[in-house]
Amino acid sequence: MSEEYTPIAVRRYSVEGQPEREIVLKIGQPFQVSPAGVDWACPVVLEGLGDGHSKCVYGIDGVQVIQLAIQYARIQLEASGLPLLWMSEEPGDLGLPRAIESTVGLWFQRELEKIVENEQRRMHEVVIELGKVRERRRGSTGA
């Protein structure tokens, strides 16, 4: 990968238990690599993980290549095995959600999305119910 790129997004992670260590994710500006416009590249740089964590990811258009760059970064950060922190106190929460896609077809992708949405709704209801239980307990103890 060329050392010259324009970062369009930067995210900094700390490492639990190593306050002096920082991992920096940089996603570069996508650019065309063919005159027909059917191939695009997007630089991804992960500083602080050692050598070999800079790569150009390729895709069909500028949007797809950004999506693929984010997926690549997530995979690399998870593979590091480091307890990374970003915005929360929960190690491993990278703020880079996994994409739901299927090569089987759009119908299957939609089914997977419905399953995820149903589980999210179910978990939301569980969290609300737990909150109500906690409130009732607080009320009964006078705290």
Side-chain angles (χ1 to χ4, degrees):
M1 184 182 85
S2 169
E3 291 301 315
E4 293 186 36
Y5 69 98
T6 303
I8 60 168
V10 176
R11 177 166 290 172
R12 297 176 185 285
Y13 296 97
S14 58
V15 180
E16 186 178 54
Q18 300 178 39
E20 72 290 343
R21 189 165 181 194
E22 182 177 65
I23 308 300
V24 181
L25 163 62
K26 295 180 181 180
I27 296 178
Q29 182 173 336
F31 57 93
Q32 281 185 276
V33 293
S34 72
V38 294
D39 292 312
W40 285 69
C42 183
V44 179
V45 176
L46 289 161
E47 296 174 353
L49 289 181
D51 296 336
H53 285 85
S54 298
K55 177 179 179 169
C56 268
V57 176
Y58 296 91
I60 293 172
D61 60 24
V63 173
Q64 184 194 45
V65 81
I66 290 172
Q67 292 172 320
L68 294 173
I70 291 169
Q71 288 179 36
Y72 170 78
R74 180 177 186 262
I75 290 166
Q76 295 302 307
L77 290 167
E78 286 179 345
S80 76
L82 294 170
L84 299 175
L85 298 166
W86 176 76
M87 299 286 292
S88 75
E89 297 303 315
E90 187 172 352
D93 181 1
L94 302 173
L96 304 172
R98 179 181 217 134
I100 300 174
E101 55 189 59
S102 168
T103 56
V104 177
L106 181 59
W107 66 271
F108 188 66
Q109 179 177 334
R110 295 290 187 244
E111 290 301 313
L112 292 173
E113 290 169 352
K114 284 180 197 174
I115 291 168
V116 170
E117 288 168 7
N118 287 336
E119 286 301 304
Q120 286 175 324
R121 192 176 304 103
R122 189 177 70 78
M123 287 305 294
H124 179 72
E125 291 167 1
V126 167
V127 168
I128 288 174
E129 195 56 39
L130 283 172
K132 290 177 184 177
V133 168
R134 286 186 183 135
E135 284 300 314
R136 285 194 296 266
R137 285 184 181 161
R138 282 189 200 134
S140 68
T141 62

